[in-house]
Structure formats: structure tokens, C-alpha cells
Amino acid sequence: MPRKTNTRNKIKNVALDLFSTLGFAGTSVRQISGTVGIRESGIYNHFSSKENILKVLLDDVKNSTIGVEIITDELLNKLSKPQIFMKEFVQILIKRWNTKKQKKYLRLVLIEQFREIKGVNVSLNLLVDESINIWSLIFSEMINFRYIKKGDPKVYAEEFVYPIFMIRLQYLVEEKVDLEKILEKCDSHIDYFWNSIKR
Amino acid sequence: MPRKTNTRNKIKNVALDLFSTLGFAGTSVRQISGTVGIRESGIYNHFSSKENILKVLLDDVKNSTIGVEIITDELLNKLSKPQIFMKEFVQILIKRWNTKKQKKYLRLVLIEQFREIKGVNVSLNLLVDESINIWSLIFSEMINFRYIKKGDPKVYAEEFVYPIFMIRLQYLVEEKVDLEKILEKCDSHIDYFWNSIKR
DNA sequence: GTCTATAAGGAGATAGAC
DNA sequence: GTCTATCTCCTTATAGAC
């Protein structure tokens, strides 16, 4: 399916590029319009203000976060083999997170989360909490079916998710995207974690 | 001991305040000088440029990071009781990290780590790696003395440090500093971790 | 939807008096 | 060390023609 690249989307893409490296305040409308290839005033045919562009981008971030909906039936069938389940699911997550767009999104959130923008509320905490909630459900099920040791699923989820997020953050700064290295690190973490929850 | 508050230090403190919330690009020299109570031009009697203020601040961050030197003999004596050692050491770390200044420092690093500044190199990765190196040494010793299970000390260090850093990051956004809550979370993590490394 | 033109003010930085 | 005054460029945003 061909991607729609009208001017509005061009502006959004360019702004995301610039905001995620130079920051919102460090980027001028001039830079955005120049890169897009239109005049400064042309921006205002598509967005009411510079801040409005940021608001739209941050809304996109919120709508692009990963929820329970990505857990397929195929994946669910592997719930009885927690180690395999964790590795395959994490692989899916990492592959999604490791796209250029998602990396820019996360950088943007990191940089701009302390800025107050009316009607928008995105932060690193929010993203982490979302992941923890999903994994709480998963571990809760695993405990119910006695696939893993009894314990607080929330604690399991935190111990599981925190290192994966730190790995994600660590590879956010690096230029080259070494997917293999990230997955290796995650696998190593999963192996370690598995030893602490297996029956 | 009374704190020296000459104009240069006032500028640094105000700039740290503003940079860590509005960002470097989002802060003007005008704002800084206004808050300090001098004219804009007065800034240039103390710093060669706006960027120079940032550089000095980031140098301060680097010099204020916590190294092995804070491990006292008293603490070392408790190495044979890993669980207690970890809890006491983490308590010291958290208390240091939880000062207003250190929180501003970390926010500044988070916000500005993607900006290129000549001669300065500070990033979240750097801070995390420093912690991991210290804890690698500690776990290495614990393994040598057979206080804990045999294993890769680096892996131990990562599994130990990552969650603590995530907790630190999570409480960076919050206004009110609930030290008790942070320490509780860390203790919970240490208990969990202890179960996976005890002999 | 995009252009030209322009407003109205903010930005960082310097010169020179006190 | 701080002040006043000033320079030059950049900032977001609007009005109105095509």
C-alpha cells in the first residue's frame, strides 16, 4: 500500500526528524518549511502553530503505543512454554521499537516530557507502565496455569520489563541499529529471569 | 559551611534550573540574567557564550558522578552479607541521587544528550555504565569469597542496576520526592534479586 | 494550497562608560 | 563587574494576491 505523502504528512515527518534531535525549542518553523520545500507561511495552512505540530506528533505517539492487541493466538498457544513465549514476544516488541519512526518517537518523548503542553500527556513513565500492565496480565495467567512459580505478577512484570526498557534506552543513542546485539542482550536477560521464576 | 554564592555560581544555578526544565534551546540568556538580577550583557563577564554555560554545567555533572570512592570500609565489612550490603549501598546512592541538584543534573543529561557539544560527552549510557562497572567489581568479589552463586558478574550487575535506574528515572518526573517509596521499591527489587544469586 | 510581503518582537553578542 | 546602548539576525505569525 502506497504511503500518502501530502504536504501535511511531509511537515509532520520533517518536524519529527528535527524535534527529536534538536528539540522543539531548538527547531524553527523556517527549518521545517525549508526542509519540506515550502515557505514559512505555508506551514500555517496545515497547522495552527508550531506547538500544534508538536501536539499532533505526541498524539501520534500515544496512538502508536503497543497494547495487548498484538498478542496473537499463535503466540498465546505458547504460553505454556514461558521461556519461548517471552523470547518470541520480546522479539516482536524489539522489532517494532527498533524502527526509525519509533526511535524518533521515543527520543521526542524523552526530550519533551518535561515541557507542559495543553491537552497532551506523554512520558517515559506512561510507556513503561503500559508495558508493565501487559506483562502483569501475562504472568498472572502463567501463574494461574502453574507454568511458573507463584508470586506477585506485578513484581515479575517490573523485574522483567525494567531491564528491557533500559536496553531499549541504551540503544536509542547509538547511530547504527544492531538488532542482533539488542536481541542477544534481551535473550540473556530472559534466560536469567526465567531461572528465577521457573518452578 | 556557608555556600559561596557569587554571581558566577548564581548564573550556574539559575541556568541549571531553566535548562533542566525548558531545555537549552528553550532558555534565553535574557531569562537567565533576569532571574539572576543582572543585565544580559552581565552574563558575558562570566561566560563566553550561552553554550559555554551548558558546557560548564555538563562538566560539573561529569565530575559529580558517583564512583567507587564512596564505598567506605564500614560498608566493605558487610560484603559477607550481600543482602544487607546491597540495601545499605543502594540507600546511600538513592539519597545522593534524590537531591534537587542531582535530579536537575539527570534531567539535563536526559534532555540534552542528543545535542552535540564540542568537548563534552555525557549521556544516560555513560551514567549507567559507570554504575554497572562498580557493581561488577562488587559481585566479582562476592563470587570470589563464595558469598553468592557463581556467575558472570557483569550479568549480575546489569540485572541489578537496570531496575534501580528505571526506578530512578520514574521518580524523576514526579514533583514530590517520596524517598520512602523509592527505597521500598528498591528493597523489593533487592529481595527479588537476592533470591536469584544466593547460594 | 502556496506564494510574497511584512509585522512585531526576541535572540545572542559586543562596545565602551562608570 | 555591572551598566546602557546598540547591532544584526532570527523568531512566529498574519494579510492578501494568485
Side-chain angles (χ1 to χ4, degrees):
Chain A
M1 45 189 169
R3 184 99 153 297
K4 217 178 167 186
T5 52
N6 52 23
T7 308
R8 188 185 155 91
N9 276 327
K10 264 191 203 161
I11 293 172
K12 277 173 63 177
N13 285 328
V14 168
L16 176 59
D17 243 342
L18 294 172
F19 287 170
S20 65
T21 49
L22 307 172
F24 173 74
T27 305
S28 67
V29 177
R30 203 166 293 181
Q31 272 174 295
I32 299 172
S33 66
T35 312
V36 170
I38 57 171
R39 303 286 149 183
E40 290 168 62
S41 53
I43 298 285
Y44 298 93
N45 294 315
H46 303 277
F47 298 92
S48 61
S49 68
K50 182 186 163 190
E51 190 172 276
N52 181 239
I53 305 178
L54 178 60
K55 183 180 161 13
V56 170
L57 284 175
L58 289 178
D59 282 341
D60 285 356
V61 173
K62 242 187 166 167
N63 294 329
S64 82
T65 57
I66 294 155
V68 272
E69 73 278 359
I70 72 155
I71 304 182
T72 61
D73 285 341
E74 194 204 338
L75 200 58
L76 264 184
N77 285 335
K78 292 173 182 159
L79 203 68
S80 59
K81 299 182 186 78
Q83 203 176 7
I84 293 172
F85 178 92
M86 291 189 281
K87 284 193 182 181
E88 290 199 3
F89 194 13
V90 167
Q91 192 162 358
I92 293 170
L93 289 175
I94 293 289
K95 273 181 182 160
R96 288 221 185 185
W97 285 339
N98 209 37
T99 60
K100 278 184 186 170
K101 188 141 210 165
Q102 286 293 329
K103 288 180 95 172
K104 286 176 199 166
Y105 276 160
L106 183 55
R107 270 218 304 266
L108 187 65
V109 170
L110 264 189
I111 294 178
E112 301 297 339
Q113 63 182 335
F114 304 113
R115 178 184 307 276
E116 300 227 355
I117 305 156
K118 47 175 183 355
V120 187
N121 177 27
V122 196
S123 68
L124 180 64
N125 283 3
L126 220 81
L127 302 180
V128 176
D129 284 346
E130 251 179 33
S131 275
I132 287 179
N133 285 337
I134 294 173
W135 284 97
S136 281
L137 283 174
I138 293 170
F139 290 128
S140 186
E141 284 302 291
M142 287 182 178
I143 292 169
N144 281 344
F145 287 117
R146 295 170 192 268
Y147 297 148
I148 58 175
K149 246 193 269 188
K150 231 170 122 178
D152 185 345
K154 180 117 194 278
V155 173
Y156 283 178
E158 284 169 353
E159 290 290 330
F160 182 69
V161 167
Y162 282 163
I164 289 171
F165 248 87
M166 279 304 301
I167 294 169
R168 190 181 170 198
L169 284 180
Q170 285 204 286
Y171 285 96
L172 198 64
V173 192
E174 309 226 340
E175 288 271 322
K176 259 237 174 165
V177 193
D178 195 346
L179 188 63
E180 284 310 309
K181 225 166 121 190
I182 304 178
L183 288 175
E184 211 175 282
K185 265 209 137 183
C186 285
D187 276 2
S188 159
H189 163 60
I190 293 171
D191 288 338
Y192 185 92
F193 180 74
W194 167 241
N195 271 316
S196 69
I197 60 164
K198 73 179 174 198
R199 307 195 60 175
Chain B
M1 43 190 171
R3 185 104 152 297
K4 214 178 167 187
T5 51
N6 52 24
T7 307
R8 187 183 156 92
N9 276 327
K10 265 192 201 159
I11 294 172
K12 278 172 63 176
N13 286 328
V14 168
L16 176 59
D17 244 342
L18 295 172
F19 287 170
S20 65
T21 48
L22 308 171
F24 173 74
T27 305
S28 67
V29 176
R30 209 164 286 185
Q31 272 174 294
I32 300 172
S33 65
T35 312
V36 171
I38 57 171
R39 303 288 150 182
E40 287 170 67
S41 54
I43 298 284
Y44 299 93
N45 294 314
H46 303 277
F47 298 92
S48 61
S49 68
K50 182 186 165 190
E51 190 172 278
N52 181 239
I53 305 179
L54 179 60
K55 184 181 161 6
V56 170
L57 284 175
L58 289 178
D59 282 342
D60 285 356
V61 174
K62 242 186 168 168
N63 294 330
S64 82
T65 56
I66 294 154
V68 272
E69 72 278 359
I70 71 154
I71 306 182
T72 60
D73 284 341
E74 194 205 337
L75 200 57
L76 263 184
N77 285 336
K78 293 173 181 161
L79 204 67
S80 59
K81 300 183 184 77
Q83 204 176 6
I84 293 171
F85 178 92
M86 290 189 283
K87 284 194 180 179
E88 291 199 1
F89 193 12
V90 166
Q91 192 162 359
I92 294 170
L93 289 175
I94 293 289
K95 273 182 182 159
R96 288 221 185 187
W97 284 338
N98 210 38
T99 60
K100 279 185 185 168
K101 187 142 210 165
Q102 286 294 327
K103 288 180 95 172
K104 287 177 197 164
Y105 276 161
L106 183 56
R107 270 217 305 265
L108 186 65
V109 170
L110 264 190
I111 295 177
E112 300 298 340
Q113 64 182 336
F114 304 113
R115 178 185 305 276
E116 301 227 354
I117 305 156
K118 49 176 183 358
V120 187
N121 177 27
V122 197
S123 67
L124 180 64
N125 283 3
L126 220 81
L127 302 181
V128 175
D129 284 346
E130 251 179 31
S131 274
I132 287 180
N133 285 337
I134 294 172
W135 283 97
S136 281
L137 283 175
I138 293 169
F139 290 128
S140 186
E141 283 302 291
M142 287 182 179
I143 293 169
N144 281 344
F145 286 117
R146 295 167 192 270
Y147 297 148
I148 57 175
K149 247 196 268 188
K150 230 168 122 177
D152 185 345
K154 180 120 192 277
V155 172
Y156 283 179
E158 284 170 352
E159 291 289 330
F160 182 68
V161 167
Y162 282 164
I164 289 172
F165 249 87
M166 279 304 301
I167 294 169
R168 190 181 168 197
L169 283 181
Q170 285 204 287
Y171 285 95
L172 198 63
V173 193
E174 309 226 341
E175 289 272 322
K176 259 236 174 166
V177 193
D178 194 347
L179 189 62
E180 285 309 310
K181 223 166 125 192
I182 304 178
L183 288 175
E184 210 176 282
K185 265 210 137 184
C186 285
D187 276 3
S188 158
H189 163 60
I190 293 171
D191 289 338
Y192 185 93
F193 180 75
W194 168 240
N195 271 317
S196 69
I197 60 164
K198 72 178 175 199
R199 307 195 60 176

